[in-house]
Amino acid sequence: MFERFRDNFFNFINSRLIVLTLVVVLMGGVLIHRVFVLQIVNGENYLNEFSLKIKKERSIPSSRGKIFDRNGKLLAYNDLAYSVTIEDVYESDKNKNKNLNATLLETIHIIEGNGDSVISDFNIFLDKNGEYAFSVSDTKLLRFLADIYGHASIDSLKEKEKNATPQDVIDFMATNYGIGERTDPDDRTTFVPGKGYTKEEVLKLVIIRYAMSANSFQKYIPTTIATDVSEKTVAAIKENNDALLGIDIAEDTIRRYVDGTYFSHIIGYTGKISSEELKSLNEETGQGEDDEGRYEMNDTVGKSGIEKVMETYLQGEKGRETIYVDNLGKEIDSEGRVEPVAGNDVYLSLDADLQEAIYNILEQSIAGLLLEKIDNIKEFNLAPNAKTSGIRIPIDDVYFALFNNNVINLDHLASPQAEENEKAVYEAFRQKKEKVWSWLTQELYQDRTPYNQLKEEYQSYESYIVTNLLINDTKVLKVDTSDEVYRTWTEEETISLSEFLEYAIAQNWVDVSRLDMDTQYADSSEVFDRLAEYISQELEKTSFYKKLYKYMIRDNSISGKQVCLVLIEQQIVSVSEEQRAALENGSVSAYQFMRKLIENLQITPAQLALDPFSGSCVVVDPNTGEVLALVSYPSYDNNKLANGIDAEYYASLQNDLSLPLWDYATQMRSAPGSTYKMVVASAALMDGIINLSSTVDCVGTFSRYSDIVMRCWNRSGHGNLNVTEAITHSCNYFFYEMGYRFGQSGDPESGTDFGLANERMREYADLYGLTEKSGIEIEESAPQFSLVNPSQSAIGQGEHNYTTVGLARYVATVANSGTCYNLSLLDKVTDRSGNLLKDFSPEVRNTIEMPTSYWDAIHRGMRGVVEAKKYFVDSGIIAAGKTGTAEESKTRPPHAVFVGYAPFDKPEIALATRIGNGYSSDYAAQISCKVMQYYFNPDREEEIISGTADHLEAVTSAGD
């Protein structure tokens, strides 16, 4: 047995299994020992020293190119500034939102406590009523909502998302970012968005968190919280740096615009790239996903104007570097830095001095025209069939305009800081409001007065309630406009507000879901009560309050003196103690005081937004097609929109009744009036309708149409006129006849063919560039050619609609005798060293081949227009031109238009001027005369641009 055991033992020892077993045991022992050393003996040291390195590529933004005028005057540049930034270094645990929001809120308080402001580049803002509101609409709003809800296309938006209110969007985002509190700490479903924060704090946190989300996959890229902050803010942030995790101060560049108000419509502004812009710019530049020069979501790009048009020239080339980040995304090392290349410089064709001068001429001239039309009366009613050029402006309308266009701060009237007259005005308002609320309750439940039996004031309130509040603003009412009762309310006006609302409820026109009530068991009386309550709640808004102020001024509950004193108390105007005392003691009336404020431009036409308040002027070099000035009044400060839009300022621009964002030179269209007559004269001569010796006997009344009688401005007639005389005297009868003859096919008794006549006139309108946009690089409205009665069209009325810049190209073509250019705002592009990269020369669109004698006839006619105007003669400017009045409304004054050129023999400039609702074309001609005076005599600037309202001659120009 022993021998068998011994043999087995030696066999086991000598077997491969024991060798393998020993190897495994030995290796296991070594491994266990090593693990013990790593985790137990040196574990803490290794943990502290461990750092995960992830390699990333980071782009470095380039410095944007500058913008200059034609003479090298700087218009746009970059400035070094400090920014407050945050880097997302927070661990992604259940407390991340809480900790991040707390840090951001503390940072916001530091920034604002030192007089700076955080970014507000977002499409939601807080309105005057303290409610969230969108700052964009239509397609832009849908694009914004698609971005918010995470959709690549607006087509992917769900119906509920499309119809989301500003409050819905804020609640959605606040919930995502944990901005709020739970009513039950242990129940996630009890989270209330915004709870524990003010509305302002919620909005600011949402804006910053939304900006941070753009970097969610690149946490090592900091997000800007505030730009261009003061040294006080810098010091405060650095002092609290230990407590503000991820917050830092960065050196940055911001875009600045020199005298931005004069150029904002042309230059535009910059801002953060949108998702649509990101896609289109990368496609335009041919940049793929891995290309180093591609646009990224944090880039700043041109959003409008030249900044947008010349984006790829101005942007420059990005630099790059390799960085290493840890597992939290925090940068720990970098290498391989390649410096960015600055963008190219863009030179415009504009003369900056001329641009600024014309803007000032427009403002002071429109102010003078406004003063000429203001009377010391409470109301003005235009007589039936009277011309709208006879409209006067009551001083009460001026007082109300200060409330209506947000010049006077209504909120401040009720604030603790309000002064004596502010308090008095607010008390009068409070009493008025109480009276109107009492009337409304009695009217809804007791009086039930038919609309046509109400006072005009109360009719105004009821119309606002139904049309503005219930139908347009809140969409509570969805009416059937063909319904007989609805038409009785709107046309016959023989039913009361109560009757109309009861009928609307019965017809299910009321969207009760918007009334926040349980409708399962609600009867019609309950819906009516809730609707009445809803109306009262919704009327607690600034837009309705303004209507109360209108009637308070009318019934003298508020005096003109009080309005003027409120302007002083709110520091909207600045006057001496003597001037204030004179107003208070009555030695100067409120009417006189207000006129003085307008005269000194302390209150501008734009602030009042009473006709006239807008104007435009475009000056062109007729020999090259270069635009020397393109001016729109009023304007805005593009510095407040660059580097991230100031949402509150942008909203104020959108609510401004003078529409400062609207480019009146390139986007406003109106009929050209008699300025169009040179087109018709050319067509008539070239088509053989007339020759230079042909005359037409103007008898005053044109009656060649069976269904309409047209009259010349000279009712007794001009007698026989040739084409030159017809232009000089602006004889409507002559051009009525031309329009009629264009449609004749040979037989004088066959009448006129509208289609044929308009087709022949359109051919020549096209030769003058009036059927297409002018060619300028920025946004422009397309022209509209009139296809109605050819005689009306022939005098520049009908359906003609042209921009000021379009008319400028037209008159430049007249001035140079037939060369029509595609106009340009651009001169050249150079690199930072001044080397020419691209030259922009306007292209010749077409030429008009017309005998010199025909051109001479037209030019002499235009010269005759100017020779008859004393102010042109006195100026010493040898010019030619044509006036035109565009009558488009029965309740507002006509537009005033003038086109001209100078010098007459060898034109250097051609211009078009339009004053919106400017009464008479002669006012536009006077302004144009001042522009020409400045251009040819810049040394007379102080005389021409006084800084006060200009007195314009009260001349009525006939025949326009």
Side-chain angles (χ1 to χ4, degrees):
M1 172 172 281
F2 174 77
E3 291 178 355
R4 191 189 319 171
F5 175 78
R6 185 191 61 186
D7 292 340
N8 288 336
F9 176 76
F10 280 114
N11 288 336
F12 174 75
I13 293 297
N14 294 324
S15 71
R16 295 177 180 178
L17 182 61
I18 189 60
V19 175
L20 182 62
T21 301
L22 289 173
V23 170
V24 170
V25 170
L26 181 61
M27 291 180 65
V30 172
L31 183 61
I32 291 170
H33 177 265
R34 185 62 179 159
V35 169
F36 179 81
V37 171
L38 288 173
Q39 292 195 349
I40 306 301
V41 179
N42 297 319
E44 186 174 352
N45 291 334
Y46 284 129
L47 181 62
N48 292 334
E49 293 174 2
F50 173 75
S51 177
L52 175 65
K53 279 190 175 184
I54 303 172
K55 184 179 179 180
K56 297 281 187 180
E57 295 295 325
R58 177 167 65 190
S59 62
I60 305 169
S62 60
S63 177
R64 196 170 180 83
K66 299 174 184 177
I67 301 175
F68 299 88
D69 84 336
R70 68 187 296 114
N71 300 312
K73 186 173 181 178
L74 185 63
L75 302 178
Y77 66 100
N78 309 300
D79 203 4
L80 288 175
Y82 290 114
S83 296
V84 181
T85 64
I86 183 167
E87 193 173 326
D88 189 355
V89 295
Y90 291 77
E91 292 190 27
S92 299
D93 56 26
K94 65 179 182 179
N95 292 318
K96 176 177 178 176
N97 280 331
K98 180 181 178 181
N99 295 334
L100 179 53
N101 292 336
T103 299
L104 287 174
L105 193 57
E106 185 177 352
T107 306
I108 290 169
H109 290 158
I110 291 173
I111 292 169
E112 294 182 338
N114 286 287
D116 293 315
S117 57
V118 297
I119 60 170
S120 57
D121 191 359
F122 198 59
N123 291 325
I124 294 177
F125 68 100
L126 277 170
D127 65 16
K128 292 281 186 181
N129 304 303
E131 303 292 336
Y132 295 118
F134 290 124
S135 61
V136 291
S137 58
D138 304 324
T139 304
K140 287 185 178 179
L141 175 58
L142 292 176
R143 180 63 262 169
F144 171 66
L145 292 173
D147 289 340
I148 292 296
Y149 290 108
H151 300 299
S153 166
I154 59 177
D155 296 331
S156 302
L157 281 167
K158 300 172 184 176
E159 195 63 28
K160 184 178 180 181
E161 293 169 341
K162 279 185 182 179
N163 296 316
T165 66
Q167 185 68 60
D168 292 338
V169 173
I170 292 294
D171 287 347
F172 171 78
M173 300 182 77
T175 301
N176 285 349
Y177 300 141
I179 305 169
E181 295 177 356
R182 298 178 186 177
T183 55
D184 181 349
D186 299 321
D187 186 353
R188 295 178 60 184
T189 63
T190 65
F191 182 83
V192 179
K195 182 176 173 58
Y197 300 84
T198 66
K199 281 193 167 186
E200 291 87 350
E201 290 172 340
V202 171
L203 180 59
K204 290 166 187 173
L205 287 172
V206 161
I207 293 172
I208 296 171
R209 293 294 304 272
Y210 183 64
M212 291 179 69
S213 69
N215 294 336
S216 57
F217 298 104
Q218 296 174 302
K219 294 182 179 181
Y220 51 89
I221 298 179
T223 299
T224 300
I225 297 176
T227 59
D228 197 17
V229 298
S230 66
E231 292 185 3
K232 278 186 176 181
T233 296
V234 172
I237 293 293
K238 288 184 175 179
E239 285 174 12
N240 293 274
N241 200 245
D242 291 342
L244 301 175
L245 183 62
I247 301 295
D248 201 0
I249 297 294
E251 283 192 359
D252 201 357
T253 59
I254 59 174
R255 198 65 161 168
R256 302 274 197 201
Y257 300 107
V258 182
D259 298 323
T261 301
Y262 297 112
F263 304 95
S264 56
H265 292 107
I266 300 168
I267 293 179
Y269 53 90
T270 59
K272 290 296 181 185
I273 195 169
S274 69
S275 55
E276 287 183 338
E277 290 166 336
L278 178 68
K279 180 181 178 182
S280 64
L281 283 169
N282 280 326
E283 288 177 353
E284 180 184 338
T285 56
Q287 298 289 337
E289 287 191 11
D290 298 325
D291 290 334
E292 294 173 349
R294 71 178 275 102
Y295 282 88
E296 298 170 314
M297 275 308 294
N298 271 319
D299 286 346
T300 295
V301 297
K303 305 294 282 189
S304 70
I306 294 298
E307 290 276 27
K308 180 177 181 179
V309 172
M310 302 299 287
E311 164 61 28
T312 54
Y313 287 97
L314 292 164
Q315 184 62 239
E317 297 178 16
K318 294 179 181 178
R320 62 186 182 277
E321 65 179 335
T322 300
I323 66 168
Y324 296 91
V325 298
D326 61 17
N327 57 320
L328 295 178
K330 189 171 183 178
E331 181 181 342
I332 55 178
D333 197 7
S334 65
E335 65 181 16
R337 182 180 176 93
V338 176
E339 294 298 329
V341 178
N344 301 308
D345 295 333
V346 172
Y347 287 77
L348 304 182
S349 64
L350 298 177
D351 181 324
D353 292 339
L354 180 64
Q355 177 85 8
E356 294 179 23
I358 294 175
Y359 186 93
N360 292 327
I361 289 170
L362 280 173
E363 182 170 64
Q364 63 189 38
S365 298
I366 296 171
L369 175 52
L370 192 65
L371 281 173
E372 198 275 321
K373 302 301 177 183
I374 294 174
D375 286 338
N376 193 15
I377 56 177
K378 294 192 73 64
E379 293 183 70
F380 175 82
N381 294 302
L382 191 65
N385 302 318
K387 290 187 175 181
T388 55
S389 57
I391 290 175
R392 305 298 297 178
I393 304 171
I395 188 62
D396 274 17
D397 286 6
V398 177
Y399 298 144
F400 173 61
L402 297 166
F403 292 91
N404 197 40
N405 203 28
N406 305 310
V407 178
I408 289 176
N409 187 334
L410 299 187
D411 294 335
H412 198 269
L413 298 177
S415 73
Q417 291 76 36
E419 297 187 32
E420 179 183 354
N421 288 281
E422 291 180 282
K423 291 176 180 177
V425 168
Y426 181 73
E427 177 58 25
F429 164 76
R430 193 190 60 76
Q431 293 178 14
K432 179 72 171 182
K433 177 184 163 187
E434 189 175 299
K435 179 181 177 182
V436 170
W437 260 239
S438 176
W439 161 81
L440 180 59
T441 301
Q442 184 165 328
E443 181 60 42
L444 285 172
Y445 287 100
Q446 297 178 32
D447 294 350
R448 303 167 67 89
T449 309
Y451 183 90
N452 60 2
Q453 295 178 25
L454 291 169
K455 290 168 54 179
E456 185 265 339
E457 175 183 351
Y458 296 132
Q459 286 181 340
S460 174
Y461 297 153
E462 289 195 356
S463 293
Y464 178 90
I465 289 169
V466 173
T467 305
N468 294 72
L469 196 159
L470 296 178
I471 296 178
N472 294 336
D473 294 347
T474 64
K475 306 291 190 295
V476 166
L477 276 188
K478 297 180 180 178
V479 300
D480 177 1
T481 56
S482 64
D483 184 271
E484 188 174 334
V485 174
Y486 177 75
R487 286 163 53 192
T488 301
W489 164 255
T490 57
E491 298 172 14
E492 298 176 18
E493 303 177 344
T494 55
I495 61 175
S496 68
L497 175 62
S498 297
E499 291 173 300
F500 174 71
L501 293 179
E502 287 168 347
Y503 182 80
I505 293 169
Q507 295 299 309
N508 291 320
W509 290 351
V510 178
D511 184 354
V512 291
S513 66
R514 295 181 180 271
L515 300 181
D516 192 24
M517 62 182 296
D518 185 358
T519 60
Q520 187 174 1
Y521 302 107
D523 59 25
S524 58
S525 64
E526 290 174 317
V527 175
F528 184 90
D529 290 343
R530 178 65 189 106
L531 186 59
E533 182 183 352
Y534 179 82
I535 290 170
S536 294
Q537 291 171 350
E538 289 297 312
L539 290 181
E540 296 279 0
K541 291 186 175 179
T542 301
S543 54
F544 184 71
Y545 288 171
K546 289 176 181 177
K547 299 190 81 66
L548 301 185
Y549 280 105
K550 175 181 179 179
Y551 292 102
M552 289 166 67
I553 292 169
R554 182 174 293 183
D555 65 20
N556 299 315
S557 298
I558 299 175
S559 68
K561 179 191 290 187
Q562 286 177 309
V563 174
C564 293
L565 288 169
V566 167
L567 290 175
I568 298 171
E569 291 176 347
Q570 294 195 355
Q571 299 181 7
I572 297 164
V573 300
S574 177
V575 299
S576 67
E577 289 298 322
E578 292 78 8
Q579 290 171 319
R580 177 168 182 165
L583 174 65
E584 290 179 324
N585 65 32
S587 59
V588 171
S589 70
Y591 173 72
Q592 294 169 320
F593 189 85
M594 183 58 67
R595 287 185 66 90
K596 198 67 177 176
L597 292 177
I598 298 171
E599 182 181 339
N600 292 331
L601 299 180
Q602 289 212 57
I603 295 296
T604 66
Q607 287 176 299
L608 295 175
L610 296 170
D611 294 332
F613 61 83
S614 68
S616 57
C617 179
V618 180
V619 182
V620 174
D621 183 339
N623 304 300
T624 65
E626 293 176 317
V627 178
L628 304 179
L630 189 145
V631 183
S632 176
Y633 176 85
S635 186
Y636 62 93
D637 184 358
N638 51 353
N639 283 293
K640 293 185 178 180
L641 301 184
N643 314 300
I645 287 178
D646 181 333
E648 186 175 347
Y649 177 68
Y650 187 69
S652 73
L653 294 177
Q654 290 188 308
N655 293 326
D656 192 325
L657 300 177
S658 70
L659 305 177
L661 289 170
W662 186 251
D663 189 337
Y664 287 94
T666 66
Q667 292 175 294
M668 177 185 176
R669 302 183 309 170
S670 77
S674 292
T675 63
Y676 187 74
K677 288 175 179 175
M678 288 82 78
V679 173
V680 180
S682 302
L685 289 166
M686 291 296 288
D687 276 13
I689 301 295
I690 57 170
N691 58 41
L692 294 176
S693 59
S694 300
T695 61
V696 171
D697 184 15
C698 170
V699 297
T701 300
F702 188 81
S703 54
R704 298 192 68 170
Y705 296 96
S706 60
D707 59 341
I708 186 173
V709 174
M710 302 177 189
R711 291 182 173 82
C712 185
W713 65 267
N714 186 339
R715 296 299 179 92
S716 59
H718 287 101
N720 285 305
L721 298 175
N722 62 28
V723 66
T724 297
E725 294 165 333
I727 292 173
T728 294
H729 296 286
S730 200
C731 177
N732 288 342
Y733 189 102
F734 182 98
F735 289 96
Y736 288 150
E737 178 66 19
M738 296 303 102
Y740 188 89
R741 291 186 190 180
F742 282 131
Q744 291 184 310
S745 55
D747 181 3
E749 304 301 322
S750 64
T752 187
D753 182 323
F754 281 20
L756 176 62
N758 286 320
E759 182 181 341
R760 294 172 78 175
M761 284 191 286
R762 190 183 189 283
E763 177 185 346
Y764 287 89
D766 178 70
L767 290 174
Y768 283 107
L770 289 173
T771 60
E772 296 178 352
K773 295 180 182 180
S774 70
I776 58 166
E777 291 79 8
I778 62 176
E779 185 178 352
E780 179 186 357
S781 299
Q784 177 178 302
F785 181 81
S786 177
L787 296 175
V788 295
N789 186 296
S791 292
Q792 292 175 329
S793 300
I795 65 164
Q797 301 294 338
E799 294 177 345
H800 285 303
N801 269 306
Y802 303 111
T803 61
T804 309
V805 70
L807 294 176
R809 172 163 77 165
Y810 154 52
V811 74
T813 307
V814 175
N816 64 36
S817 299
T819 303
C820 182
Y821 288 96
N822 284 326
L823 303 184
S824 177
L825 289 163
L826 298 172
D827 181 16
K828 62 184 177 181
V829 175
T830 69
D831 63 20
R832 280 299 175 94
S833 300
N835 300 309
L836 181 66
L837 299 178
K838 186 168 184 178
D839 181 63
F840 293 89
S841 296
E843 296 178 354
V844 174
R845 176 183 182 269
N846 64 270
T847 57
I848 303 174
E849 302 298 333
M850 194 161 71
T852 301
S853 59
Y854 289 1
W855 284 118
D856 290 344
I858 292 171
H859 291 158
R860 287 198 309 272
M862 296 175 70
R863 176 65 185 143
V865 172
V866 171
E867 285 180 317
K869 300 186 181 299
K870 184 176 182 298
Y871 46 85
F872 260 113
V873 175
D874 292 345
S875 73
I877 305 295
I878 309 301
K882 186 70 192 79
T883 53
T885 301
E887 301 173 13
E888 295 185 342
S889 170
K890 294 182 178 180
T891 59
R892 300 177 70 182
H895 303 303
V897 186
F898 178 84
V899 299
Y901 59 89
F904 174 67
D905 292 331
K906 194 175 181 180
E908 293 180 28
I909 60 168
L911 60 76
T913 302
R914 172 165 40 209
I915 308 302
N917 306 107
Y919 284 83
S920 167
S921 60
D922 208 79
Y923 294 125
Q926 291 179 57
I927 292 171
S928 299
C929 180
K930 291 179 185 295
V931 171
M932 290 181 180
Q933 282 181 286
Y934 175 84
Y935 180 84
F936 291 108
N937 302 286
D939 55 319
R940 295 177 57 193
E941 179 178 358
E942 291 186 6
E943 175 189 341
I944 297 168
I945 304 171
S946 62
T948 60
D950 272 346
H951 171 71
L952 300 183
E953 296 182 25
V955 179
T956 301
S957 184
D960 296 330

